[in-house]
Amino acid sequence: MRIPHTISRNVVAAYRCSPETSLLPQEQGRTLRAEDASWDDDGVIPDLKILALRTIVSAWRDNPVLADLPTCADRDALLETLPTDLPIELTIPRIEDEFYWERAAKARWEHNDPGEHGGSWRRLYCERHLAEYLETLQPNYFEPQREYDKLTLLKNHIHVIRLRSLVPTKKQTKRDNEESDESILEEDVAHHIPMAVVLPQFPHLTEIYLNFGMIYMNDGFEWRDFEFSLEDCLSLGEGIKASPKLKKFSLTRSNLDQPRVAAILQGMVSNDNIEELDLSHCKLMDNGAHAVGAFLSMHRKLRILHLANNNIGPNGVSGIVHGLMKASSTALKNLDLRLNPLENEGTNHICALLVRIKTLETLNISGCELGPEDGIALADVLSSGCVELEVLSLDVSNNNFGFTAGESFEAAVSSCPYIIHLDGRMCNFSKESECSITESAHRNKQNMKKEKDKTAFFQSSNVYNSPSAKNLQQQPEVGSSFPAEPKDIVQRF
């Protein structure tokens, strides 16, 4: 691009003269005004090419010409002056230049971060436009055939869907009043747009962030706006099943209970590509945790699981641990159970998980109502020699462990080289124990890094010291021939 087309508001405000300054005598006769971008518009006669481009811009809605322009400079000039409020039916198929989409995004939204959208301004615009469209779409007027055209237009540019809220139906049914002959209007179950129709339209979809509920409350606010039906979950599960590249699914801060999560997981279990599942801040409780455990026992590629703040007790943890211990279960690496009342019996299940699982790398049991005996038992298991984990990052913060448990954790971290991080804040540890735990975990992490670097060095040395590499490094004597023709060497490697 030749020149920036837009200037931020902060820059304009910084160079704008104050009212007091504009009243000074020196300001009255000043002809050159750098803060006014249009000060010389009347004094400069535009070129004929510029006038032609302005005509093309004014008629672009009826005649979208871009690729037919003869030079790159002409196309750049057109994109600099093209309006940003054109219909996406015209712009998305024809405009690929990132500068135009940057202008369009900044003109429409105040805060933009292309890093969250793969570094592409075009993808940012498409994904945010889709999110706003779906968040305001009324389920009562949802017609699949009419929506296909709009969704198909965006399908090649949608990789992540972030829906902060969804509008429920306002359907009402009539029932007879037993006391009188009049009929009373009674609201039906809250339904939402069918995800089984929406999600399959995006073949490149990799992440979904969803929240059933409203974020902006108006005069018609009702608690029903935060409800969602079992049919919504079944439809969502079918949509996930039909998304072959989906790797992460997040449904948080919703009234998700056992029947609804089971309906979602029923369709999700057929999608082998999902690696991360986030169901934090919902209402799973013990029954929902058992449903998640059954899902873990059948899904092979899930690596990260977030179940924070779901009121999961010891019974629910037992279901999750039981699902992870099955031979057909997933090789889970990250488990987040913070803010769940695990208590003493739940700690026993966690200890059994640490002893029997070999793939876990991160465990978060922060704020799980654990006591001193639980902390001592957990530390004893870590230092017992029965844990076969290669690396472990543990978060036990915000549990009332006490000084004795702190000393046990101190001894465990110093004797277990696989513990590279242990967060013991707000656990009533002594200051000495906290410092010792931090130092030992840091030392373990540094030693593990040195071992990895040493292993990588020896592996690279073995490659260069292999017989084939030695043959290549040998220099032939004068008058001798090479041990093999170049063609043979190429074939050998």
Side-chain angles (χ1 to χ4, degrees), residues 52-69 74-97 100-101 103 122:
L53 288 174
R54 290 179 181 177
T55 303
I56 294 176
V57 169
S58 62
W60 211 80
R61 289 176 180 267
D62 301 326
N63 186 22
V65 176
L66 179 61
D68 297 335
L69 295 179
D74 295 338
R75 291 190 287 270
D76 291 344
L78 177 66
L79 293 175
E80 289 175 4
T81 55
L82 202 62
T84 58
D85 57 350
L86 294 171
I88 60 173
E89 291 81 5
L90 295 177
T91 57
I92 290 180
R94 294 174 174 83
I95 301 178
E96 299 181 0
D97 195 281
Y100 173 81
W101 294 108
R103 288 179 51 222
R122 187 183 190 185

Side-chain angles (χ1 to χ4, degrees), residues 32 169 196 222 241 391 398:
L32 180 60
T169 56
E222 298 176 352
K241 182 179 179 181
V391 60
N398 292 280

Side-chain angles (χ1 to χ4, degrees), residues 121-174:
W121 286 97
R122 187 183 190 185
R123 176 181 154 187
L124 179 148
Y125 190 91
C126 293
E127 289 180 350
R128 296 191 66 175
H129 174 80
L130 176 67
E132 288 187 356
Y133 175 72
L134 294 180
E135 288 174 357
T136 57
L137 187 60
Q138 295 288 340
N140 302 55
Y141 306 103
F142 184 87
E143 297 180 5
Q145 191 61 38
R146 184 184 62 181
E147 306 300 335
Y148 279 148
D149 297 336
K150 297 180 180 179
L151 300 180
T152 303
L153 185 66
L154 302 169
K155 68 176 184 179
N156 293 327
H157 311 287
I158 302 299
H159 296 259
V160 179
I161 292 180
R162 300 177 184 270
L163 301 180
R164 300 175 299 169
S165 63
L166 286 175
V167 180
T169 56
K170 296 296 183 181
K171 190 180 295 184
Q172 293 180 336
T173 58
K174 290 184 179 181

Side-chain angles (χ1 to χ4, degrees), residues 204-274:
H204 306 292
L205 186 62
T206 58
E207 297 180 12
I208 298 176
Y209 300 86
L210 184 60
N211 177 25
F212 284 103
M214 304 297 293
I215 57 175
Y216 298 112
M217 305 304 161
N218 50 26
D219 295 338
F221 160 73
E222 298 176 352
W223 288 111
R224 178 181 174 276
D225 296 337
F226 294 89
E227 300 295 334
F228 55 101
S229 64
L230 189 62
E231 289 75 9
D232 290 334
C233 298
L234 291 172
S235 177
L236 180 59
E238 290 296 324
I240 295 173
K241 182 179 179 181
S243 302
K245 294 185 178 180
L246 186 64
K247 293 184 178 297
K248 180 177 180 179
F249 175 75
S250 175
L251 176 56
T252 59
R253 306 183 307 277
S254 299
N255 294 326
L256 186 68
D257 53 8
Q258 188 273 334
R260 289 169 174 78
V261 72
I264 296 175
L265 297 177
Q266 181 180 353
M268 189 183 299
V269 73
S270 302
N271 192 332
D272 295 333
N273 294 317
I274 296 180

Side-chain angles (χ1 to χ4, degrees), residues 104 119 132 179 204 209 246 300 337 357 366 383 446 491:
E132 288 187 356
E179 299 178 357
H204 306 292
Y209 300 86
L246 186 64
R300 301 301 298 256
L337 293 173
I357 196 171
S366 171
S383 59
Q446 294 297 323
Q491 290 178 353

